[in-house]
Amino acid sequence: MKEVVTGNHVVSHAARVGRAQVVSAYPITPQTQVVEKISEFVADGVMDAKFIKVESEHSAMVACIGASAAGVRAFTATSAQGLALMHEVLHWAANARLPVVLANINRAMGPPWTIWTDQIDSLSQRDTGWIQFYAESNQDIFDSILIAFKVAEQVDLPAMVVLEAFFLSHTAEPVDFPDQEDIDRFLPPRPARNTVDPENPAAFGGLTGPDHYYELKYMEHNAMLEAKETIAAATQEYGDMTGRYYKMADPYRCDDAETVLVVSGGVASTAKDAVDEAREAGWKLGSLKIWAFRPFPREEVRALLLGRKRVVVVDRNISFGQEGIFCSELKASLYSQPEAPPVLGFIAGLGGRDIKGRDLLAMAKAGEDPDCPEFNWYGVKP
Amino acid sequence: MAEVPKKLTIPAEEHICSGHLACQGCGAVLAMRYALKALGPNTVYTVPACCWSVIDGPFPYTTLGVPLFHIAFEAAAASAAGLAAGLEMVGKEDVNVVAWAGDGGTADIGIQALSGAAERNDNIMYICYDNEAYMNTGVQRSSSTPWGAWTTTTPARHFKKRPKKNLVDIMVAHQIPYVATAAIAFPEDVLKKVNKAKQIKGTKYLQIFASCPPGWRMAPEYAVKSVRMAVNARVWPLLEVDNGVYTITRKPRKPLPVADYLRLQGRFSHLTEEQVEEIQQMVDHNWERLLFLEKSTHEMAGIPLEEKKKTKEPDK
Ligand SMILES: Cc1ncc(C[n+]2csc(CCOP(=O)(O)OP(=O)(O)O)c2C)c(N)n1
Ligand SMILES: [Mg+2]
């Protein structure tokens, strides 16, 4: 069934049909409509869940951690300052190996106060041990959340689905909702292991010295690597159900492309238009959407990019003193590989400044100049 | 000659075993031991950073016979709320979900989450074992440290000059069904109050006064004696607040001079006679205030105030 729904309400619906059992969240622009809708669902009884209306995002994540530890499917949503406030306990969820799912509406960090999009809030959580997916469209948001639940619960790691403020959160698009029976088949009740249960007393997360801690981290990293296979299997199954096949790194018209634009989130959709326009003019341009940021699709990126003339990465984020974060990740994946292409990084669209198709084409064009610096700010006003 | 066995006044059954990592004379261990005797095995604990995150034992050991979930320092109440919601969703709403935190994790860094849970009246029991400082990290002041005390961040020549935060009244202000204080020197009273709290739906808050011999700068053998003296000197009044109605549950017939309580502990040894007298006045004032609250809240609720028999046992 297709319906025209805003990105935020898609998040709420995904939590509902994904049968989240405990939701705990705190309002923040641009995420507020997510929690408003879910509280209606729960109050109206169309969603069989408990909604814990906490006093902060820190407590929202902690309540999800507690609920998840008791064995249920837990969900929350936040943005920017809220996600940053959760930081300590994002580590806790991952290290406790709890498959909490979180939707983050990308919003730039203050000061100055801002509510518009960029990716630094979620990318700053890179090393917390969360799986991360970046959605391109409202359909992507819905599908990614269901896939996130499934993958998270199989590898016992939390997962974050990321969407852009306003460009997706407040924009209505047609979204296909699969039948509930199909969803239930794809996403059965959580196969919880090692829950907090008086019938099985144990301590969870107690003091651990150097003798054991190291191996726990090794296992956590391996779980993240295992998630690549789990994602492959889940996206295959999901594709067979819906006809929509997701890829951790998703190429568009890349077959013979000499220049590949690497993008993420909603910008990936703009990039497809831009590539079409370039192709019409005979320009061998392609684009590559990074859907899964953690685990990073290292092998896929290599297979798609080695041997190209150049790679132009558009980052809606900046790691001060270094460069765009997607750019660094790509370089790390390509470094010392045979036929590694030059990687040219562009910062664009911070704090919600629009990235239009013509901007993407201008960055791609600039990247084709042999004298193009390796790191660039696009469109800084004088 | 065989001793005549005395009748036990608390259950013999233990839900905590030996081998824990507490210091000698740790009041927090006695608090846990007594609370568990009342709670029984159908209980889960969530414990934020505090001495108890160490006491329970290193991975993969545990001292408790019930699950213990470790959580971040400021997060005890929210994790209990999540656990309670999760357990309810899996059909185990009869489990006692207990947040077990130190005074720092309660009165300072964790007060926001606690206030949130209490305002929602989540069905959890929150027990603060109050040893009046951050003991885990080496005796730094907390907002629960009393006026006059030495800690490593309030050195003797700059001892703490602000009174202990009154968490009991803060929790009463949340209009939760049950708030109580207890002390490790009175096990029957701890059990009675935990047992009572267990029957009540909603947020229950208990604050158990628990000595810390190293942090209080005293010998471990004074662990129980010092706490008994705190109660009998009215420094730590035992009370119960049922739906806003205050009841002082122990009224020492002849209160001990506060000086006797302070004298036992190195953390007060720098105080002058005048300063000790100042503390005595604060304690007396607080007692008067509690008597007034007890009387007025009983009157307002239309509940006759039973004249509790003053304690017979010697107030030592
Ligand atoms: C966010 C955070 N800040 C600081 C600490 C360090 N820390 C651990 S326990 C503790 C003090 C705990 O004091 P209290 O709650 O009174 O418990 P006690 O140690 O006295 O048992 C501190 C400061 C921490 N673990 N987390
Ligand atoms: Mg303490």
Side-chain angles (χ1 to χ4, degrees):
Chain A
M1 186 191 53
K2 274 206 173 183
E3 264 186 73
V4 179
V5 191
T6 62
N8 273 344
H9 284 172
V10 168
V11 173
S12 322
H13 282 291
R16 177 179 59 81
V17 300
R19 300 195 188 279
Q21 294 160 290
V22 171
V23 177
S24 185
Y26 191 79
I28 179 169
T29 303
Q31 155 269 31
T32 38
Q33 296 152 341
V34 176
V35 282
E36 287 167 0
K37 196 81 192 159
I38 294 180
S39 40
E40 280 174 29
F41 288 155
V42 174
D44 293 345
V46 295
M47 187 171 170
D48 182 20
K50 300 236 146 243
F51 190 160
I52 310 175
K53 291 159 196 170
V54 280
E55 82 307 324
S56 71
E57 287 87 354
H58 193 281
S59 287
M61 181 46 58
V62 171
C64 284
I65 286 170
S68 192
V72 302
R73 184 168 291 159
F75 182 81
T76 187
T78 189
S79 193
Q81 314 296 135
L83 189 66
L85 185 60
M86 284 180 185
H87 177 76
E88 179 199 25
V89 281
L90 291 178
H91 281 284
W92 207 281
N95 292 357
R97 305 294 301 272
L98 296 169
V100 178
V101 170
L102 176 156
N104 181 64
I105 326 296
N106 266 153
R107 161 179 155 177
M109 295 293 301
W113 279 119
T114 169
I115 52 172
W116 292 277
T117 199
D118 77 31
Q119 299 171 317
I120 202 62
D121 57 349
S122 53
L123 290 175
S124 293
Q125 312 308 330
R126 184 187 68 176
D127 301 332
T128 52
W130 281 64
I131 294 167
Q132 285 198 357
F133 298 110
Y134 286 77
E136 172 185 341
S137 65
N138 288 1
Q139 184 69 61
D140 239 40
I141 298 168
F142 181 82
D143 298 340
S144 301
I145 290 175
L146 294 187
I147 293 167
F149 276 125
K150 180 152 182 139
V151 172
E153 290 171 8
Q154 283 180 16
V155 297
D156 292 318
L157 283 176
M160 192 181 294
V161 172
V162 182
L163 53 136
E164 286 146 319
F166 302 109
F167 292 117
L168 290 182
S169 67
H170 288 63
T171 304
E173 289 182 340
V175 176
D176 171 54
F177 294 93
D179 290 342
Q180 185 68 51
E181 284 158 44
D182 290 337
I183 293 172
D184 290 343
R185 210 171 309 117
F186 173 74
L187 189 60
R190 177 180 158 202
R193 292 171 278 266
N194 305 322
T195 58
V196 176
D197 179 355
E199 277 159 38
N200 223 336
F204 299 79
L207 190 67
T208 300
D211 270 356
H212 293 109
Y213 188 87
Y214 187 73
E215 281 68 28
L216 291 173
K217 297 306 106 178
Y218 173 76
M219 289 163 69
E220 209 169 331
H221 181 65
N222 284 345
M224 192 55 104
L225 295 183
E226 186 195 322
K228 291 189 184 190
E229 285 148 48
T230 315
I231 291 168
T235 50
Q236 180 68 39
E237 189 185 343
Y238 197 78
D240 293 346
M241 176 173 94
T242 60
R244 294 186 293 277
Y245 291 90
Y246 285 82
K247 294 197 181 104
M248 293 178 66
D250 199 358
Y252 183 72
R253 299 185 83 167
C254 274
D255 285 351
D256 61 342
E258 293 175 347
T259 301
V260 176
L261 266 172
V262 178
V263 285
S264 55
V267 179
S269 161
T270 315
K272 285 176 185 164
D273 273 354
V275 165
D276 288 345
E277 200 184 316
R279 288 284 172 170
E280 260 171 55
W283 181 5
K284 288 191 173 170
L285 185 67
S287 70
L288 177 64
K289 167 176 93 168
I290 307 292
W291 175 58
F293 176 73
R294 277 294 178 276
F296 196 77
R298 202 180 253 249
E299 296 78 16
E300 291 83 344
V301 158
R302 282 179 187 161
L304 288 159
L305 296 180
L306 293 177
R308 307 284 173 181
K309 284 224 168 109
R310 65 197 66 79
V311 173
V312 174
V313 189
V314 180
D315 267 298
R316 195 170 228 162
N317 64 80
I318 171 75
S319 173
F320 300 118
Q322 176 65 327
E323 59 189 351
I325 293 167
F326 279 90
C327 186
S328 292
E329 296 276 337
L330 273 171
K331 284 182 180 170
S333 299
L334 299 176
Y335 179 74
S336 84
Q337 296 292 306
E339 294 189 74
V343 177
L344 305 147
F346 286 80
I347 306 299
L350 301 187
R353 186 166 302 176
D354 202 7
I355 303 176
K356 294 191 161 47
R358 63 166 182 269
D359 300 318
L360 294 172
L361 291 177
M363 287 183 254
K365 180 79 30 203
E368 291 190 351
D369 183 336
D371 294 329
C372 179
E374 130 182 69
F375 172 70
N376 306 272
W377 283 85
Y378 176 75
V380 177
K381 290 179 193 164
Chain B
M1 203 175 83
E3 246 184 81
V4 182
K6 278 193 189 156
K7 195 172 157 280
L8 286 179
T9 54
I10 57 173
E13 200 183 352
E14 299 285 1
H15 303 282
I16 169 172
C17 65
S18 57
H20 60 70
L21 299 184
C23 311
Q24 270 186 20
C26 175
V29 167
L30 288 177
M32 175 65 89
R33 187 174 162 211
Y34 299 145
L36 266 174
K37 279 176 188 279
L39 288 161
N42 196 27
T43 300
V44 303
Y45 271 79
T46 176
V47 176
C50 59
C51 283
W52 254 102
S53 20
V54 178
I55 295 171
D56 188 54
F59 171 85
Y61 302 107
T62 181
T63 286
L64 302 191
V66 301
L68 190 163
F69 188 74
H70 291 273
I71 193 65
F73 193 17
E74 61 283 49
S79 62
L83 277 164
L87 286 165
E88 192 176 333
M89 288 305 288
V90 297
K92 298 194 173 186
E93 60 263 46
D94 59 329
V95 175
N96 306 308
V97 179
V98 181
W100 180 268
D103 49 290
T106 303
D108 293 337
I109 198 164
I111 196 171
Q112 174 176 327
L114 172 58
S115 175
E119 185 273 331
R120 295 188 302 274
N121 201 23
D122 287 337
N123 190 25
I124 60 171
M125 193 184 303
Y126 191 107
I127 304 182
C128 165
Y129 66 92
D130 185 0
N131 54 24
E132 303 197 311
Y134 300 161
M135 297 312 185
N136 172 294
T137 39
V139 202
Q140 295 84 27
R141 63 99 82 182
S142 79
S143 60
S144 199
T145 301
W147 190 96
W150 159 92
T151 67
T152 56
T153 50
T154 50
R157 61 188 181 282
H158 303 290
F159 62 80
K160 192 179 177 217
K161 304 261 175 30
R162 290 289 298 156
K164 181 183 177 77
K165 189 185 279 184
N166 183 344
L167 228 347
V168 168
D169 284 354
I170 291 173
M171 294 316 293
V172 172
H174 285 77
Q175 303 183 43
I176 53 176
Y178 190 68
V179 176
T181 65
I184 55 140
F186 299 89
E188 298 89 345
D189 185 64
V190 175
L191 265 85
K192 208 168 118 191
K193 287 170 177 168
V194 175
N195 258 322
K196 183 166 171 183
K198 211 173 113 174
Q199 320 296 329
I200 299 168
K201 220 174 146 66
T203 304
K204 289 79 66 178
Y205 176 80
L206 286 92
Q207 192 166 335
I208 306 179
F209 202 60
S211 46
C212 169
W216 291 8
R217 292 288 182 263
M218 64 181 189
E221 59 264 37
Y222 294 144
V224 175
K225 182 177 179 171
S226 58
V227 170
R228 190 185 311 120
M229 289 174 86
V231 172
N232 288 336
R234 298 168 170 173
V235 169
W236 183 250
L238 298 185
L239 43 106
E240 228 174 20
V241 189
D242 293 281
N243 293 305
V245 179
Y246 283 69
T247 306
I248 303 171
T249 55
R250 184 181 168 87
K251 289 181 177 162
R253 183 177 39 164
K254 225 179 92 213
L256 286 183
V258 170
D260 291 4
Y261 164 70
L262 301 177
R263 197 173 300 126
L264 218 55
Q265 307 169 45
R267 64 174 172 154
F268 297 114
S269 61
H270 52 277
L271 296 176
T272 63
E273 252 172 64
E274 294 74 44
Q275 287 162 343
V276 169
E277 180 48 33
E278 233 177 294
I279 297 177
Q280 179 71 59
Q281 281 172 18
M282 289 182 215
V283 166
D284 292 346
H285 176 263
N286 185 47
W287 187 259
E288 290 304 316
R289 195 184 64 90
L290 286 173
L291 287 173
F292 173 77
L293 277 171
E294 183 182 49
K295 186 163 173 283
S296 57
T297 54
H298 272 81
E299 272 173 23
M300 285 178 74
I303 301 168
L305 181 57
E306 287 172 47
E307 257 318 306
K308 279 237 154 59
K309 258 190 265 155
K310 298 259 165 80
T311 53
K312 281 270 165 54
E313 54 188 286
D315 295 336
K316 50 172 182 277

